[in-house]
Amino acid sequence: MSDIQSILSIAKRTLEIESKAISNLIELLDDQFAHAVQFILESQGRVVVSGVGKSAIVASKIVATLNSTGTPAIFMHAADAIHGDLGTIQENDVVICLSKSGNTPEIKALLPLIKIGKNKLIGITGNMDSVLAKQADFVLNTFVEKEACPNNLAPTTSTSAQMAMGDALAICLLELKGFSSADFAKYHPGGALGKKLYLRVADIVVNNEKPQVDINTSVKEVIVEISSKMLGVTAVMENNEVVGIVTDGDIRRMLSKYDNISGLTAKDIMTSNPKSVDVETLAINALKLLQEKSISQLLAFDGDTYAGVVHIHNLINEGIL
């Protein structure tokens, strides 16, 4: 077997083992999971997620997912908790502890302290006979037959199962809360993802020039307007209303059609009924319209008032495309 074949074989085996383990979680779900979700949903506090080793890293990811989907959460390392960080847990908080074995020393030391505080405890473990499983108020079974590691040592399959269970919790809470794309945008204001959810046409056109010419403007002045505003287009106005549009494509077509352009005006080369968009439209929806129509610019309107131009390059620069 060649090196390439060997590498691909190992990768496929790893993914197959992990995918089967995650699929098996479906059969392990029971009323305990549903009750845990309901309790978190009704809780007045946060979700404190804890673990050690690789489970601590998964716990941090679960916290990030919960926070981004509308469930306040915070990470607490189990080892740090028994050395001063136990104050992280407040009166109404729900605590989730992750441990494959459910018997790690740090978790075993933490459990009675959680009980003293009378906080509800959700255990995510692959060992239903463990101390964690027996002391938790709700137990989520993440049993895996073996790790993807050929020595069955490195946490691989088990951490994948933990992460998948955390995702299942988060998505259940998201849907039961009616968490919408608008809510999602509040928690993701940065980057391309956030911009797709909240950036409006108005946020773009305000930074652009506002090209416009009168219907009787000479072609020479039309070209100057298009060039100076650098958007490849200008609106054509009559009595303060948009009656057409002239694009750089219209200019090229005019030059190929006419030998003498000295007597031509905007009216002679404009396109009537230009494609337009309202300023309150999401930028991502403006992009879809541009793509559907195979055009590069849209005129933007605030009600009946011409507000400016949104260009596909604006959307590229914003990371929308």
Side-chain angles (χ1 to χ4, degrees):
M1 183 179 291
S2 70
D3 288 343
I4 289 178
Q5 291 176 319
S6 177
I7 291 168
L8 291 176
S9 177
I10 294 168
K12 289 176 182 179
R13 184 189 69 222
T14 301
L15 294 174
E16 184 177 53
I17 291 171
E18 296 197 356
S19 64
K20 285 183 178 179
I22 292 174
S23 180
N24 187 56
L25 294 181
I26 297 171
E27 302 302 321
L28 299 180
L29 285 176
D30 57 17
D31 290 351
Q32 292 275 300
F33 179 90
H35 292 320
V37 170
Q38 289 174 332
F39 193 86
I40 295 174
L41 194 64
E42 296 168 3
S43 173
Q44 299 300 309
R46 307 159 303 172
V47 178
V48 179
V49 191
S50 188
V52 293
K54 303 300 186 294
S55 292
I57 297 171
V58 175
S60 293
K61 189 273 177 187
I62 292 174
V63 165
T65 302
L66 289 171
N67 279 323
S68 70
T69 52
T71 300
I74 189 170
F75 170 72
M76 179 186 69
H77 198 285
D80 293 335
I82 58 177
H83 291 288
D85 283 4
L86 193 62
T88 299
I89 306 174
Q90 300 298 303
E91 182 179 357
N92 294 315
D93 291 344
V94 180
V95 181
I96 298 178
C97 283
L98 286 81
S99 173
K100 177 188 176 182
S101 71
N103 291 316
T104 53
E106 296 87 352
I107 293 293
K108 291 171 70 174
L110 178 59
L111 297 180
L113 302 177
I114 295 171
K115 290 295 184 180
I116 291 173
K118 298 182 179 180
N119 296 89
K120 288 292 184 180
L121 172 63
I122 299 170
I124 297 181
T125 181
N127 182 3
M128 297 302 284
D129 294 321
S130 64
V131 173
L132 175 57
K134 291 176 180 177
Q135 293 197 21
D137 296 289
F138 311 103
V139 185
L140 311 186
N141 190 351
T142 52
F143 171 77
V144 298
E145 290 187 5
K146 61 180 179 179
E147 301 288 1
C149 166
N151 299 314
N152 199 30
L153 295 173
T156 46
T157 312
S158 58
T159 49
S160 295
Q162 289 176 340
M163 193 172 298
M165 188 65 75
D167 286 342
L169 273 174
I171 299 305
C172 284
L173 291 165
L174 178 154
E175 293 200 18
L176 291 172
K177 288 182 177 183
F179 195 80
S180 67
S181 59
D183 296 317
F184 199 79
K186 295 177 185 177
Y187 297 94
H188 299 78
L193 176 60
K195 288 180 179 179
K196 287 180 180 180
L197 294 169
Y198 77 84
L199 191 69
R200 303 168 304 148
V201 169
D203 301 318
I204 294 174
V205 298
V206 70
N207 297 314
N208 285 342
E209 295 280 1
K210 186 180 173 182
Q212 61 184 74
V213 296
D214 185 78
I215 193 169
N216 295 313
T217 300
S218 70
V219 163
K220 180 180 178 180
E221 292 178 69
V222 171
I223 295 173
V224 170
E225 180 70 0
I226 292 175
S227 299
S228 64
K229 298 302 191 293
M230 301 178 66
L231 290 167
V233 67
T234 182
V236 180
M237 314 291 292
E238 184 176 29
N239 298 323
N240 294 319
E241 292 186 1
V242 174
V243 294
I245 188 174
V246 178
T247 68
D248 48 10
D250 292 322
I251 298 298
R252 288 193 296 273
R253 284 186 286 273
M254 175 199 67
L255 293 174
S256 65
K257 182 178 180 181
Y258 296 98
D259 293 326
N260 184 357
I261 65 171
S262 61
L264 297 177
T265 66
K267 182 179 181 179
D268 298 316
I269 63 172
M270 74 179 190
T271 299
S272 302
N273 302 315
K275 300 297 184 293
S276 63
V277 66
D278 190 88
V279 292
E280 293 302 316
T281 302
L282 287 175
I284 185 65
N285 291 332
L287 173 61
K288 291 177 182 177
L289 182 56
L290 287 169
Q291 292 174 325
E292 288 172 4
K293 303 299 181 181
S294 299
I295 55 179
S296 299
Q297 312 96 341
L298 289 167
L299 298 189
F301 285 83
D302 185 355
D304 294 328
T305 304
Y306 170 54
V309 174
V310 57
H311 195 288
I312 195 167
H313 289 164
N314 298 140
L315 303 174
I316 292 173
N317 291 337
E318 292 288 352
I320 300 295
L321 182 57

